[in-house]
Amino acid sequence: MQNRIELSRLVQGGVQEKFNKEWDRVMRNIDDPNTSATAARSITITVNLKPDAKRKKINTNVTTKSTIAPDNPLETTFIMGTDNAGNVVAQELLFGDEDQTFFDNEGTVRTGTGETIDQDTGEIKSGTGNVVVFK
């Protein structure tokens, strides 16, 4: 009786297929620019063997699992202030500093929080009408 097993032939090649599936998953994760380029990835093949009471039969389960790198975190900055009613409000800073302006992709001048600026008067066109004091 031979006491060696070829993994590529185990379960009529099913183990190789499972490994290949995890291999593809890991390769796609390495290629994904939204993940760390240098993070370690792994593929685990687990073979569970459960013999019967007479030690004649061994029920076996083979599983594969891969560990991939998570997506890189996304970062943003919020600025805080109070409105006319004294409520604390926060708004995402889209560009630079809160007092800095920028041109969006359509050429519109906007504040650092994305509000449109009238190019003739320099006034901020706020959709809410509420005045917010950002400190």
Side-chain angles (χ1 to χ4, degrees), residues 42-132:
S42 65
I43 299 173
T44 304
I45 299 173
T46 303
V47 181
N48 289 311
L49 305 133
K50 185 170 187 215
D52 66 3
K54 295 180 182 179
R55 301 174 197 250
K56 296 291 181 188
K57 291 184 191 175
I58 304 171
N59 290 325
T60 307
N61 291 318
V62 181
T63 58
T64 56
K65 176 179 94 167
S66 59
T67 302
I68 58 175
D71 284 352
N72 294 328
L74 300 175
E75 295 182 8
T76 192
T77 301
F78 285 85
I79 55 175
M80 292 183 57
T82 55
D83 63 14
N84 288 338
N87 299 313
V88 176
V89 293
Q91 193 168 7
E92 184 176 15
L93 186 61
L94 301 178
F95 179 83
D97 293 319
E98 60 185 283
D99 296 326
Q100 187 174 1
T101 59
F102 69 98
F103 289 101
D104 65 13
N105 291 338
E106 288 77 36
T108 304
V109 179
R110 296 190 179 273
T111 67
T113 56
E115 296 171 307
T116 304
I117 297 176
D118 187 307
Q119 291 184 5
D120 295 326
T121 65
E123 293 178 346
I124 296 172
K125 298 179 182 178
S126 175
T128 63
N130 290 336
V131 175
V132 177

Side-chain angles (χ1 to χ4, degrees), residues 5-20:
I5 301 293
E6 287 188 45
L7 291 178
S8 63
R9 293 183 180 192
L10 191 59
V11 195
Q12 293 83 41
V15 174
Q16 185 69 51
E17 287 180 24
K18 286 179 150 293
F19 175 83
N20 290 345

